[in-house]
Amino acid sequence: MRSHDPSFMLVAQPVRGLDIGAIERVHKTLLQLKKEGKAILLISAELSEVMNLSDRIAVLYEGEMSAQFKAGQYTKEEIGLFMAGKKKLKREPFAYISKRDGVSLTYRITVRAAAIVLALVIGALFILVAGESPATAYSSLLKGALGTPQAVANTVSKSIPLAFTGLAVALGSRCGMLNIGAEGQLHAGAMAATLTGLTLSFLPAPILLVVSIAAGIAAGMLVGSVPGIFKAKFQTNEVIVAIMLNYVCTLFTSWLVNGPFKVPGSTAQTEMLPENIWFARLLPKTQLTWALFLLLATAVLMYIFLWKTSVGYQLRAVGANASAAKTAGIPVNFYLIMAMTLSGGIAALAGVTEIFGKYHRFIEGFSPSFGFTGIAVAILGKNHPAGVLLTSLLFGVLEMGSLRMSRETAVSTNMVTVIQSLVILFVAAPELIRWSRKRRG
């Protein structure tokens, strides 16, 4: 290797297949050449080797240089995130990130705004076909959702369970897991919290409320952990497991409320919870309770966890590229289970807040598919807490306003579902186009 005394050397995977002794000799030779002033370009997938031998490190992602920095500037985990194609890290003075890795915030906002406008335009065409005035229909919708303080409060109230399930799906998606089981998790959480509140009613109200909410969260976490465990241990598709658990949870809670915990009467419901643990209303004659503050606290904590802690950092690295994260030494299976467990706990809060804030007992059918709508909320919100909150508020406006729109016009409330579906379709379309172009090469 040294007989020609080269001034530049290209070394690719120099220790692959060698034993420990041979590896040490190769490394010593490379370090000696480095001391002699030789230029060496080392190409290796072994991060430890690259970090120990190199002065500067460049990372390739999808055929392009995604980052370039001095050795020692980044940790092994941070380099793994560059390998995953992430665009931005905290310390980046010597890093040069490819524009191909992501799109700007302005672009994302523009796409979503255009999707909403286009969906409303197409919805207006359907309204015209139905023989109604789009201006009148949309005016009624806005008045029904935002026309009075009470209407605004009820609109926010309708958005709260959607926000919880949206946050749950978003957290799972940040780790590369699609939590389609939020519906079952919120049922499990609602039932667990209800039974805890009824069984331990002898406790002081503040303690009983905290214990009941904790029981609901724990039940959701337990159900949510199952798809994560199956994915981590057996490589089972989490979507299939979550869908089956939706049936298990909804049917099991249905049996409980129709059987051992049913009160006399035709309605499948439990006994009323103690009044001293009901969520207080923020505005009289509305359904808005301090569940709103629980939601905001959850969103803030989720943001801090994902973007301001090392654990959240590694969880997002797993979601960006599990193979690169594993190469960087991140325990991928641990984070898959963690993400689904936490996601289940957040989804459970959707059920808990509905029961403690609105119904004050478990009632069969209390959820009009909050869990599945949460998937759409997370997609439109780009799996970010702020985006999820805004999207859930949009859906709340549509849901609340549709009631007045259907009363004052001949337009069905189902038109809202059409508009929501169109918004999701138009938001997803650019992603599908980029994916199709990438597939064609």
Side-chain angles (χ1 to χ4, degrees):
M1 178 171 66
R2 302 186 60 185
S3 57
H4 301 292
D5 193 25
S7 59
F8 171 80
M9 297 181 61
L10 174 62
V11 184
Q13 308 292 351
V15 299
R16 178 174 291 176
L18 301 182
D19 58 39
I20 296 177
I23 291 174
E24 186 176 354
R25 287 194 296 273
V26 170
H27 285 176
K28 285 183 177 179
T29 301
L30 291 175
L31 289 173
Q32 181 59 38
L33 289 169
K34 176 181 172 182
K35 289 181 180 179
E36 294 174 3
K38 310 298 183 184
I40 303 173
L41 177 59
L42 172 63
I43 302 174
S44 176
E46 298 292 333
L47 279 183
S48 298
E49 179 179 52
V50 172
M51 295 175 72
N52 289 333
L53 299 179
S54 304
D55 292 321
R56 293 187 65 82
I57 299 174
V59 180
L60 296 180
Y61 174 72
E62 293 188 347
E64 295 183 0
M65 185 180 295
S66 63
Q68 184 183 131
F69 43 84
K70 292 181 178 180
Q73 182 182 351
Y74 290 106
T75 65
K76 195 174 184 179
E77 290 76 14
E78 289 174 318
I79 296 175
L81 194 58
F82 276 123
M83 294 171 65
K86 299 300 288 182
K87 184 179 179 181
K88 187 177 181 181
L89 290 174
K90 289 183 178 178
R91 295 178 287 129
E92 226 172 24
F94 295 95
Y96 306 95
I97 309 300
S98 163
K99 291 183 180 179
R100 185 180 175 183
D101 295 337
V103 294
S104 68
L105 178 61
T106 302
Y107 173 82
R108 292 174 179 174
I109 293 175
T110 303
V111 167
R112 278 150 184 75
I116 294 170
V117 172
L118 189 56
L120 291 174
V121 169
I122 295 178
L125 296 178
F126 287 137
I127 293 172
L128 282 173
V129 172
E132 292 287 340
S133 166
T136 302
Y138 285 153
S139 175
S140 297
L141 187 148
L142 290 176
K143 288 178 182 177
L146 306 172
T148 65
Q150 287 75 19
V152 173
N154 286 327
T155 295
V156 174
S157 176
K158 280 189 173 293
S159 72
I160 289 175
L162 299 179
F164 275 122
T165 55
L167 290 173
V169 175
L171 179 57
S173 297
R174 284 292 174 179
C175 195
M177 301 284 282
L178 177 56
N179 182 11
I180 202 171
E183 188 69 17
Q185 293 152 15
L186 73 87
H187 272 82
M191 178 58 79
T194 301
L195 296 183
T196 302
L198 293 173
T199 304
L200 303 179
S201 59
F202 57 86
L203 291 175
I207 296 177
L208 178 59
L209 180 59
V210 172
V211 171
S212 298
I213 294 175
I217 295 174
M221 294 175 72
L222 178 62
V223 176
S225 69
V226 176
I229 292 172
F230 272 77
K231 177 73 172 183
K233 301 299 182 183
F234 310 110
Q235 296 303 306
T236 308
N237 190 300
E238 73 275 9
V239 173
I240 296 174
V241 179
I243 289 175
M244 291 191 294
L245 283 174
N246 279 335
Y247 287 106
V248 171
C249 292
T250 53
L251 292 176
F252 180 63
T253 55
S254 176
W255 174 77
L256 289 175
V257 78
N258 281 279
F261 298 101
K262 183 179 184 296
V263 296
S266 59
T267 304
Q269 59 187 10
T270 64
E271 292 182 12
M272 192 75 74
L273 287 166
E275 188 172 352
N276 56 3
I277 62 170
W278 295 359
F279 287 179
R281 298 188 187 280
L282 298 181
L283 193 65
K285 298 181 180 180
T286 70
Q287 294 185 325
L288 183 62
T289 69
W290 64 264
L292 173 64
F293 300 118
L294 184 58
L295 169 64
L296 296 177
T298 302
V300 170
L301 289 174
M302 177 174 161
Y303 173 79
I304 293 172
F305 170 71
L306 287 176
W307 279 275
K308 302 298 180 180
T309 68
S310 59
V311 175
Y313 179 92
Q314 294 185 23
L315 184 148
R316 289 186 293 120
V318 172
N321 190 319
S323 299
K326 187 175 182 179
T327 301
I330 298 175
V332 172
N333 289 342
F334 170 78
Y335 282 103
L336 294 179
I337 297 172
M338 173 194 285
M340 288 300 292
T341 301
L342 294 176
S343 178
I346 295 175
L349 285 172
V352 172
T353 53
E354 285 292 286
I355 297 302
F356 281 67
K358 296 179 182 178
Y359 302 104
H360 309 134
R361 64 173 79 196
F362 188 98
I363 301 177
E364 185 177 30
F366 76 92
S367 169
S369 299
F370 289 136
F372 296 108
T373 307
I375 299 172
V377 171
I379 292 172
L380 189 57
K382 202 63 178 180
N383 296 322
H384 191 285
V388 168
L389 292 179
L390 292 174
T391 304
S392 64
L393 185 59
L394 170 65
F395 278 37
V397 168
L398 294 175
E399 290 286 347
M400 188 65 192
S402 67
L403 300 176
R404 178 165 178 168
M405 182 178 69
S406 65
R407 288 198 309 268
E408 297 183 351
T409 68
V411 180
S412 169
T413 56
N414 292 328
M415 180 57 64
V416 166
T417 304
V418 173
I419 294 174
Q420 291 174 345
S421 302
L422 289 172
V423 170
I424 297 166
L425 175 63
F426 295 143
V427 169
E431 298 293 335
L432 293 175
I433 292 172
R434 281 198 295 270
W435 177 81
S436 178
R437 288 176 176 172
K438 184 178 176 180
R439 291 268 297 181
R440 291 198 300 267

